[in-house]
C-alpha cells in the first residue's frame, strides 16, 4: 500500500501536468458554466432586424398612408427618390386625398381631369390675371375654396341681403341696377376657388395711373385646364353695372350658393361685424365658408363706387358659368 501510494505520489511528482489537468478541468467547467449563464442573459436579436429579413420596406399600403400626410411639394420630392416611389406617387388617389384635405372641401360628383392636374392648377400660385391683362395686375391673395352643389348663385355688392331677393327668372341687368344683386342660373357645380385681386383702373391705359380696382375673382377649379380658356375662346361678359353716386364706407362683394342662404356656415359670412375690421382698418378682409365667399375693404372719403358684375361661360351646349367677377372701382 505504501509502495502503491508512493508510486502514485512519485507519479504525480514525475508528471505534474496530470495533477493540473484534474484541477484545471474543474476550473474550466466552472468557467464554462459561468460563460453559459452570462450568455443566456443576452437578448435575442429580433427577427425583423436580421440581415436576411423578410420585411418589405417597399410596402405600397404603408407608403400610400404616409403620403396622405405630405404636402404637394413633399410628394413631388418623394417621387424623385427612385422609380418605385415615382410609380407610387403617380397614383391619383393620393393626389385626390391631398387636394380635398388642403382645400377643405367635399369631393365633387365628377371631375374631367386627374387629381394631380387639379392639385397643380390650384396650388401653382397662378391666377386669372396671369393669363390675361398682366400689365394691369398689381397684387392678389388666395381666399380659399367653396362648393356649389346646385347651379343657382346669388351675387351681391352688399353683405346685408335685401329683404326681397331677386328671382332667377328676373333680368339680372335690372336687378343689379335697382338692388345691387342678381341671381345666375346654370353655374357649374363642384369646387370653386376664390381670389382677391388688386388691379389698375381699366378706364385708362397709363401705367402711371394710381387708380386701383378691387376684384372678387372666383372660378371653377377646372377652368385653367380647359382648352377653351387657355386658347382665349372663353371671355368675360358684363352682366350688369351698379353706380353708387354717394360716399361709400366700404367696397364689398359676395358670391353665395342660393340653396344655402339660411345655412349656419353662410350666416358666419353675413355676420360682417365679426370679420370686416375697424373703420380705420384699410386692409382688405375676406371670409369663405363651404357655400359662400365675401370680401370687404374699408374706404377713405370718396365720391362713390361703380360695381361691375361679370361672368365667363363655357362654349359647350349648356354654356355653364365657370367664372365670376365682382369688381369695385372708385368714381
Amino acid at each position: 500500500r505504501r509502495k502503491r501510494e508512493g508510486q502514485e505520489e512519485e507519479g504525480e511528482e514525475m508528471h505534474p501536468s496530470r495533477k493540473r489537468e484534474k484541477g484545471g478541468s474543474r476550473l474550466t467547467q466552472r468557467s464554462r458554466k459561468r460563460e453559459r449563464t452570462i450568455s443566456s442573459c443576452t437578448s435575442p436579436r429580433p427577427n425583423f432586424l436580421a440581415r436576411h429579413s423578410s420585411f418589405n420596406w417597399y410596402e405600397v399600403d404603408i407608403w400610400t398612408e404616409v403620403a396622405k400626410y405630405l404636402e404637394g411639394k413633399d410628394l413631388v420630392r418623394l417621387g424623385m427618390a427612385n422609380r418605385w416611389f415615382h410609380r407610387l406617387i403617380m397614383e391619383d388617389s393620393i393626389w385626390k386625398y391631398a387636394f380635398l384635405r388642403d382645400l377643405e372641401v367635399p369631393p365633387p360628383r365628377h371631375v374631367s381631369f386627374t387629381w394631380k392636374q387639379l392639385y397643380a392648377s390650384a396650388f401653382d400660385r397662378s391666377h386669372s390675371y396671369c393669363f390675361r391683362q398682366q400689365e394691369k395686375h398689381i397684387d392678389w391673395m388666395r381666399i380659399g375654396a367653396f362648393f356649389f352643389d346646385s347651379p343657382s348663385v346669388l351675387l351681391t355688392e352688399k353683405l346685408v341681403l335685401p329683404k326681397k331677393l331677386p328671382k332667377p327668372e328676373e333680368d339680372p341687368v335690372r336687378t343689379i341696377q335697382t338692388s345691387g344683386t342678381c341671381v345666375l342660373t346654370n353655374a357649374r357645380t363642384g369646387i370653386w376657388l376664390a381670389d382677391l385681386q388688386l388691379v389698375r383702373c381699366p378706364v385708362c391705359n397709363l401705367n402711371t395711373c394710381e387708380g386701383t380696382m378691387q376684384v372678387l375673382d372666383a372660378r371653377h377649379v377646372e377652368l385653367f385646364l380647359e382648352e377653351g380658356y387657355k386658347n382665349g375662346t372663353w371671355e368675360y361678359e358684363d352682366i350688369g353695372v351698379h353706380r353708387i353716386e354717394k360716399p361709400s364706407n366700404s367696397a364689398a362683394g359676395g358670391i353665395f350658393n342660393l340653396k344655402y342662404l339660411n345655412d349656419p356656415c353662410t350666416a358666419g359670412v353675413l355676420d360682417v361685424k365679426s370679420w370686416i375690421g375697424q373703420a380705420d382698418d384699410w386692409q382688405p378682409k375676406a371670409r369663405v365658408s363651404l357655400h359662400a365667399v365675401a370680401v370687404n375693404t374699408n374706404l377713405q372719403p370718396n365720391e362713390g363706387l361703380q360695381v361691375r358684375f361679370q361672368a365667363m361661360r363655357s362654349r359647350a351646349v349648356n354654356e355653364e358659368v365657370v367664372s365670376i367677377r365682382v369688381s369695385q372701382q372708385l368714381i
Side-chain angles (χ1 to χ4, degrees), residues 56-79:
N56 184 9
W57 293 100
Y58 291 97
E59 179 60 47
V60 175
D61 292 340
I62 293 176
W63 282 106
T64 300
E65 191 65 25
V66 170
K68 291 181 178 180
Y69 296 91
L70 301 179
E71 296 181 358
K73 58 183 180 181
D74 296 324
L75 287 172
V76 173
R77 292 193 186 102
L78 182 61

Side-chain angles (χ1 to χ4, degrees), residues 150-254:
S150 64
S152 297
V153 180
L154 174 70
L155 310 183
T156 177
E157 69 180 29
K158 301 176 182 178
L159 300 183
V160 178
L161 299 181
K163 295 182 179 179
K164 185 179 180 181
L165 294 174
K167 297 179 180 180
E169 61 271 15
E170 292 185 83
D171 181 12
V173 176
R174 187 180 67 82
T175 60
I176 288 173
Q177 291 176 347
T178 56
S179 64
T181 60
C182 73
V183 174
L184 291 182
T185 58
N186 203 31
R188 180 178 290 183
T189 58
I191 301 168
W192 283 59
L193 299 176
D195 301 325
L196 178 60
Q197 308 280 359
L198 185 64
V199 298
R200 292 186 177 89
C201 168
V203 176
C204 65
N205 293 320
L206 299 176
N207 291 332
T208 57
C209 176
E210 296 181 357
T212 57
M213 184 173 68
Q214 172 182 288
V215 181
L216 171 58
D217 187 7
R219 61 179 172 89
H220 192 271
V221 72
E222 297 180 357
L223 178 63
F224 290 176
L225 300 173
E226 296 280 4
E227 189 60 33
Y229 179 82
K230 291 189 291 185
N231 63 24
T233 304
W234 301 356
E235 292 287 351
Y236 286 97
E237 300 173 354
D238 288 340
I239 304 172
V241 176
H242 187 214
R243 192 175 177 87
I244 307 171
E245 296 182 340
K246 61 180 181 179
S248 299
N249 295 326
S250 63

Side-chain angles (χ1 to χ4, degrees), residues 97-151:
Y97 185 93
F99 181 91
L100 300 177
R101 176 201 63 199
D102 293 348
L103 291 181
E104 299 180 350
V105 288
R109 296 179 181 177
H110 170 75
V111 292
S112 301
F113 301 90
T114 67
W115 288 102
K116 184 180 179 180
Q117 290 175 306
L118 294 174
Y119 191 99
S121 176
F123 292 97
D124 65 354
R125 297 193 60 78
S126 61
H127 54 81
S128 59
Y129 284 90
C130 291
F131 297 87
R132 297 173 178 84
Q133 297 179 311
Q134 294 186 30
E135 70 283 357
K136 293 290 186 181
H137 189 257
I138 299 175
D139 201 0
W140 75 292
M141 74 173 186
R142 170 61 49 82
I143 301 174
F146 58 104
F147 194 84
F148 285 162
D149 65 355
S150 64

Side-chain angles (χ1 to χ4, degrees), residues 3 33 42 52 73 154 189 196 217 225 236 243 256 288 291 296 310:
K3 185 177 181 180
K33 288 181 180 179
T42 303
H52 301 288
K73 58 183 180 181
L154 174 70
T189 58
L196 178 60
D217 187 7
L225 300 173
Y236 286 97
R243 192 175 177 87
F256 299 85
V288 66
H291 303 291
N296 183 87
Q310 296 178 304

